[in-house]
Amino acid sequence: MARTTGSFGEKTEAALREAAVELIARHGYEAVSMRRLAAEIGLQAAALYNYFPTKEDLLFTLMREHMEGLIAAWAAADPGGAPRERLAGFVENHIVFHVERRHATHVSNMELRSLSPERLTAMLRLRSAYEKELRQILREGAAAGEFSVDDPTLTAMAIIQMITGVIVWFRPDERLSVEEVAATYHAMTMRLVGAQPSRRQGAEKKPRESLDV
């Protein structure tokens, strides 16, 4: 069957993706059928196969584009220069990107188990390519004497887990802005690698209140 084209088709596909991300994030991949997705956007279930032949095709597309978007966002945001500045930029970009894509982040993190082995491998390669950027920053910082890092791989994993976890609790209408959260997490990251916060963030702008609740 031919793929639907034109502005109507593009709008329908966008609505499908948006609905899929939200429903899968809320209910899990296994619980969300193509029929349910179709009902969510007011279509017959058969019409969805014009866009994605299988439900896994849809899931993989959502997850792949999320990771590709993250990699592209960092490539655009990378300030270059000293490892301290690059680490500050990495933390800020990661937090802002994920806060703006809360549901997509949840799907990307929780539904790897739903992919076929071949597609899982493809996703893990994308993740590794992104995390390699952070590992390289840590290695360069340690080599330059800016960081005290015994195991860059393990430290990178800890940083990624910490800064991704912001989406679990952060809400944009609460007392801290995303910029303030990024500054605080930047300071925590610098302590983790045995360095002082860079001038790019943290030290010059403190959150209005502590993160303690």
Side-chain angles (χ1 to χ4, degrees):
M1 189 178 299
R3 185 183 179 91
T4 303
T5 59
S7 60
F8 178 78
E10 291 169 358
K11 290 179 181 179
T12 301
E13 182 172 345
L16 169 58
R17 289 170 184 251
E18 182 178 352
V21 165
E22 182 171 353
L23 287 175
I24 294 172
R26 292 183 181 278
H27 304 290
Y29 174 75
E30 294 298 333
V32 179
S33 66
M34 293 294 266
R35 185 179 299 277
R36 184 173 184 179
L37 282 171
E40 187 74 13
I41 60 174
L43 289 179
Q44 295 294 319
L48 298 190
Y49 296 100
N50 291 332
Y51 303 94
F52 298 97
T54 69
K55 189 171 74 163
E56 189 188 351
D57 289 329
L58 171 58
L59 176 66
F60 178 65
T61 297
L62 295 174
M63 295 174 73
R64 186 194 69 231
E65 291 183 350
H66 178 79
M67 278 307 305
E68 289 175 343
L70 177 58
I71 291 169
W74 168 238
D78 187 350
R84 286 158 53 91
E85 296 300 318
R86 296 191 70 215
L87 182 55
F90 188 95
V91 170
E92 179 181 19
N93 181 75
H94 188 95
I95 289 175
V96 171
F97 184 93
H98 286 87
V99 163
E100 292 175 349
R101 298 163 180 81
R102 186 186 307 275
H103 286 151
T105 299
H106 185 78
V107 171
S108 183
N109 288 341
M110 297 302 296
E111 296 299 344
L112 287 170
R113 61 193 174 185
S114 301
L115 295 175
S116 65
E118 180 180 358
R119 285 175 166 173
L120 175 60
T121 297
M123 282 302 305
L124 292 178
R125 284 175 179 166
L126 285 173
R127 284 171 170 254
S128 180
Y130 176 67
E131 292 165 6
K132 182 180 178 180
E133 294 287 316
L134 177 56
R135 293 194 296 270
Q136 185 63 28
I137 293 170
L138 296 177
R139 290 191 182 99
E140 291 176 0
E146 295 185 20
F147 304 153
S148 177
V149 177
D150 294 327
D151 188 330
T153 298
L154 186 60
T155 303
M157 290 173 59
I159 292 171
I160 290 287
Q161 288 295 318
M162 180 176 73
I163 59 182
T164 303
V166 170
I167 68 163
V168 174
W169 62 266
F170 178 76
R171 296 295 181 273
D173 57 345
E174 294 184 353
R175 60 190 173 88
L176 295 173
S177 70
V178 66
E179 293 81 12
E180 289 171 324
V181 170
T184 298
Y185 271 69
H186 163 245
M188 291 190 291
T189 300
M190 287 301 178
R191 287 195 292 270
L192 181 62
V193 301
Q196 293 296 317
S198 70
R199 293 181 180 178
R200 187 171 186 273
Q201 287 200 51
E204 296 177 356
K205 182 178 181 181
K206 297 181 180 179
R208 289 188 298 268
E209 301 178 49
S210 167
L211 288 176
D212 295 335
V213 293

